[in-house]
C-alpha cells in the first residue's frame, strides 16, 4: 500500500489581502470576488504558504487553538473550499 503524497497548499497569486477585526478579507481579481474569512479560516489561509503540508497546517491550527486533537476535518474542508474558490493552488 503506498502512502498518499504530501500536498503543500499555496495561496494563489494576484490577490489583495487585508486585515479585518474578525479575520481577513481576500480580494480576488480573476474572477473578481471578495472573500471574508473568520479567524480560524484566516489562520489556515496564512499557513498556506506552499512550505507546509496539510498535516503540518492541521497540527499548527490545533496547537494555536489549544485543542487536544488536531482539527483534521475542519482544516481539510477549509482547504478544499479555498481550492474550489480559486484562492489556493496546490503543489506536491
Amino acid at each position: 500500500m503506498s502512502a498518499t503524497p504530501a500536498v503543500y497548499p499555496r495561496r494563489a497569486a494576484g490577490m489583495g489581502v487585508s486585515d479585518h477585526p474578525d479575520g481577513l478579507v481576500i480580494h480576488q481579481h480573476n474572477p473578481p470576488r471578495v472573500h471574508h474569512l473568520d479567524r480560524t479560516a484566516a489562520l489556515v489561509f496564512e499557513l498556506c504558504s506552499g512550505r507546509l503540508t496539510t498535516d503540518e497546517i492541521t497540527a499548527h491550527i490545533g496547537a494555536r487553538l489549544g485543542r487536544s486533537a488536531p482539527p483534521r476535518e475542519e482544516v481539510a474542508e477549509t482547504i478544499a473550499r479555498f481550492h474550489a474558490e480559486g484562492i489556493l493552488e496546490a503543489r506536491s
Side-chain angles (χ1 to χ4, degrees), residues 32-63:
R33 293 188 216 166
V34 176
H35 306 273
H36 298 270
L37 307 184
D38 66 19
R39 288 184 180 128
T40 303
L43 196 53
V44 172
F45 180 78
E46 289 173 345
L47 290 171
C48 290
S49 63
R51 291 185 231 155
L52 299 174
T53 65
T54 301
D55 287 341
E56 292 169 326
I57 291 169
T58 301
H60 280 281
I61 298 292

Side-chain angles (χ1 to χ4, degrees), residues 75-92:
V75 170
E77 288 172 1
T78 301
I79 289 174
R81 188 179 83 235
F82 288 168
H83 279 292
E85 293 173 354
I87 60 175
L88 283 186
E89 300 171 352
R91 70 177 191 179
S92 37

Side-chain angles (χ1 to χ4, degrees), residues 55 57-75:
D55 287 341
I57 291 169
T58 301
H60 280 281
I61 298 292
R64 291 250 326 267
L65 298 178
R67 296 198 182 165
S68 58
R72 293 188 196 293
E73 189 173 320
E74 183 180 356
V75 170

